[in-house]
Every structure is written in C-alpha cells, then in structure tokens.
Amino acid sequence: MGFSYGMGFNQGFRMFHLFGTLFTLMFVLVFGIFIVMAVKGIRQWNRNNHSPRLTVPATVVARRTNITRRHHHGAGSLHHHTSTTYYVTFQVDSGDRMELSMDGAEYGLLVEGDRGQLTFQGTRYLGFERV
C-alpha cells in the first residue's frame, strides 16, 4: 500500500496541460477579435476615403448619445473613464435616412427639425449648414 499526497503526477500534469490549452485559446480568441475589429475599421476608413464627397439638402430628424463607462482597478485605486459618442440622424429629400457620428461641439449646434445642407463622405460626417 502506497501513501498518497493528493492528486497523482499524471492528474496534476493533465490539469496543467488543460490550463495551458485554455489560456492559449483565450489569448488567440482575444487577439483574433482585436485583429478583426482593426481590419473592419481600416476597411471602413478606406471606403470613406474612396466615396465621393456629397452635399445634399437634409433635415435633422433625431439625435442620440452613447455613453461608455470603463472602470480600471490598479495599485489599490479605482479609475473611471467615461466617453460619449454623438449621433445625428438626417433625412434627405428622397426620404432616406442616415445616422452619422460627430463630435460634441457639432452635435450641440444641431436641433431636431433643422434644415440645411449636409456634407458627408461615406459614413463620415463633414458638416451641416443651415439654410
């Protein structure tokens, strides 16, 4: 009869191997998501650059914001980071609508019902001049 100290060597080795495999899979998954998001961003940037700059009559029909909050723990302290993305929906004379993101200064100047000339390039907001 032998004396046992808990799990055997083979069982411990299997647990270590399983942990290593799971860690590798998670790393590959996170890295893969990062790469996919970067490629999507670059494609959209490229499409916008190759789209014509258009100026069309439009009406502001809606405004919204998206607030993202992040909490970071580190060195015994908690850090908060908040970012806001601003969106405005425009309706052009054909009845089509498009939602474009913009900075807060531009967003603050627009009111639902404003009519004017919308300038955009692909999904990139370039300006709005009231008429």
Side-chain angles (χ1 to χ4, degrees):
M1 239 194 230
F3 186 78
S4 176
Y5 288 102
M7 70 174 91
F9 175 77
N10 286 336
Q11 188 178 3
F13 183 74
R14 278 188 237 127
M15 292 288 287
F16 178 74
H17 182 67
L18 178 64
F19 174 76
T21 302
L22 289 175
F23 180 79
T24 301
L25 286 174
M26 289 303 292
F27 177 78
V28 168
L29 179 67
V30 169
F31 188 72
I33 290 171
F34 175 77
I35 294 298
V36 167
M37 296 301 290
V39 167
K40 281 184 174 184
I42 291 169
R43 280 187 182 158
Q44 186 63 54
W45 175 82
N46 192 38
R47 268 187 247 130
N48 284 341
N49 286 343
H50 288 90
S51 295
R53 293 182 121 175
L54 299 174
T55 300
V56 296
T59 303
V60 175
V61 293
R63 298 168 6 121
R64 74 177 180 93
T65 58
N66 183 33
I67 300 171
T68 306
R69 293 180 180 90
R70 293 185 182 90
H71 305 283
H72 303 280
H73 300 278
S77 64
L78 177 65
H79 302 280
H80 301 277
H81 176 73
T82 303
S83 64
T84 305
T85 308
Y86 302 92
Y87 298 96
V88 174
T89 302
F90 297 92
Q91 182 170 321
V92 296
D93 288 344
S94 67
D96 292 328
R97 292 182 176 200
M98 66 183 76
E99 183 179 65
L100 302 172
S101 66
M102 62 188 59
D103 66 32
E106 291 276 341
Y107 177 87
L109 296 174
L110 298 175
V111 178
E112 288 184 23
D114 281 351
R115 280 219 29 92
Q117 295 291 315
L118 169 66
T119 304
F120 64 99
Q121 184 177 22
T123 61
R124 187 181 296 148
Y125 171 82
L126 299 175
F128 183 78
E129 188 175 318
R130 278 182 207 78
V131 185

